[in-house]
């Protein structure tokens, strides 16, 4: 049982938009920044969004995110086949003194 | 370019021990929050242990009393001593700066495989 709650799966067709939600609590998302990672099979997670909505260098503009209160959302527009991956939300938890993760969302591009 | 390189994984029998290392390149591990994160086969990411900027350590309940995190500043290396290993400790172990603390300077290693099996 993950501390942050994400839907286990999401899907869309090429060109469509998709959103992935992430829900937490006051001790994590409610008081700290939310991050999003993208992971392909057999590889390490790659930072997609930092500090709630900032895109690191090299991440396309069609990847965006927002945070409000104790939840956040990752949006991907203009879906491409190469977006098919697992997506994780992460935030620091003040009560735990460590990071907490969502269970991951498997994105399928139909 | 910054690199974190893990090593020390392998196959071990239940009850055995392993020591994982994570060497920093073009990056000083000292003074940073560093975390070990693991991923069981086909599962999500799970926090294992964190060492804070003042070398305070915290552990997930699943590994408390069995794992010890430490770092050697002279060698710029993070360690995870894993004792009394269980089958459920099997997975890929990643060392990370942070995560979710340093903006676009959250760094992850490539991971090292730990397999606990008889």
């Amino acid at each position: 049982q993950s501390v942050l709650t994400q839907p286990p799966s999401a899907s869309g067709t090429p060109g469509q938009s998709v959103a992935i939600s992430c829900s937490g609590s006051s001790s994590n998302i409610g008081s700290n920044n939310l991050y999003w990672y993208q992971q392909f099979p057999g590889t390490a997670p790659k930072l997609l969004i930092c500090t709630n909505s900032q895109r690191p260098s090299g991440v396309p503009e069609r990847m965006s995110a927002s945070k409000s209160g104790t939840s956040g959302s990752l949006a991907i527009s203009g879906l491409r086949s190469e977006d098919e991956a697992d997506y994780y939300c992460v935030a620091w938890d003040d009560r735990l003194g460590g990071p907490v993760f969502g269970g991951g969302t498997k994105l399928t591009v139909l | 370019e910054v690199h974190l390189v893990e090593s020390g994984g392998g196959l071990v029998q239940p009850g055995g021990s392993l020591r994982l290392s994570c060497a920093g390149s073009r990056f000083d591990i000292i003074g940073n929050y560093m975390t070990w994160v693991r991923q069981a086969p086909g599962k999500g990411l799970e926090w294992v242990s964190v060492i804070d900027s003042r070398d305070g350590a915290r552990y997930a309940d699943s590994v408390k009393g069995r794992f010890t995190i430490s770092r050697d500043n002279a060698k710029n290396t993070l360690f995870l001593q894993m004792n009394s290993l269980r089958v459920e400790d099997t997975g890929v172990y990643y060392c990370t700066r942070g995560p979710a603390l340093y903006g676009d300077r959250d760094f992850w290693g490539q991971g090292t495989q730990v397999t606990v099996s008889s």
Side-chain angles (χ1 to χ4, degrees):
Chain A
Q1 191 88 5
S2 301
V3 175
L4 304 183
T5 301
Q6 296 179 238
S9 64
S11 64
T13 56
Q16 275 190 333
S17 298
V18 67
I20 298 171
S21 62
C22 177
S23 177
S25 69
S26 58
S27 65
N28 41 68
I29 298 177
S31 52
N32 293 294
N33 293 314
L34 183 60
Y35 287 56
W36 291 89
Y37 280 84
Q38 179 189 55
Q39 187 181 34
F40 297 104
T43 68
K46 171 196 168 188
L47 183 61
L48 200 63
I49 298 287
C50 60
T51 323
N52 304 319
S53 60
Q54 303 304 306
R55 281 185 305 275
S57 175
V59 174
E61 290 184 8
R62 57 193 189 82
M63 304 281 187
S64 64
S66 63
K67 188 192 96 167
S68 179
T70 59
S71 64
S73 181
L74 171 70
I76 305 174
S77 61
L79 268 178
R80 299 182 177 181
S81 58
E82 56 261 38
D83 297 331
E84 195 162 283
D86 294 323
Y87 294 83
Y88 293 90
C89 57
V90 190
W92 202 260
D93 191 292
D94 292 335
R95 186 157 36 91
L96 189 66
V100 288
F101 295 89
T105 299
K106 183 176 183 61
L107 175 63
T108 302
V109 181
L110 303 168
Chain B
E1 187 180 347
V2 170
H3 287 289
L4 291 174
V5 181
E6 301 96 336
S7 61
L11 174 63
V12 63
Q13 291 189 338
S17 298
L18 278 176
R19 189 193 197 202
L20 304 184
S21 300
C22 171
S25 173
R26 291 193 174 89
F27 166 66
D28 290 332
I29 287 178
I30 183 174
N32 286 283
Y33 279 68
M34 300 293 298
T35 301
W36 286 98
V37 175
R38 69 184 178 186
Q39 187 168 35
K43 301 296 184 182
L45 301 169
E46 178 191 19
W47 165 70
V48 173
S49 179
V50 61
I51 186 166
D52 64 28
S53 57
R54 298 182 181 183
D55 287 347
R58 289 177 287 281
Y59 302 92
D61 287 344
S62 58
V63 307
K64 204 171 293 183
R66 301 187 297 124
F67 291 10
T68 303
I69 191 171
S70 63
R71 60 183 155 203
D72 183 326
N73 296 329
K75 295 181 179 178
N76 202 32
T77 301
L78 178 74
F79 299 102
L80 185 69
Q81 177 66 44
M82 303 187 297
N83 299 330
S84 303
L85 281 162
R86 304 168 180 169
V87 171
E88 55 265 35
D89 294 319
T90 293
V92 177
Y93 284 69
Y94 299 98
C95 75
T96 84
R97 183 195 191 205
L101 288 177
Y102 296 104
D104 64 355
R105 298 184 70 75
D106 263 16
F107 305 133
W108 288 61
Q110 84 290 347
T112 186
Q113 176 70 46
V114 171
T115 302
V116 185
S117 174
S118 55

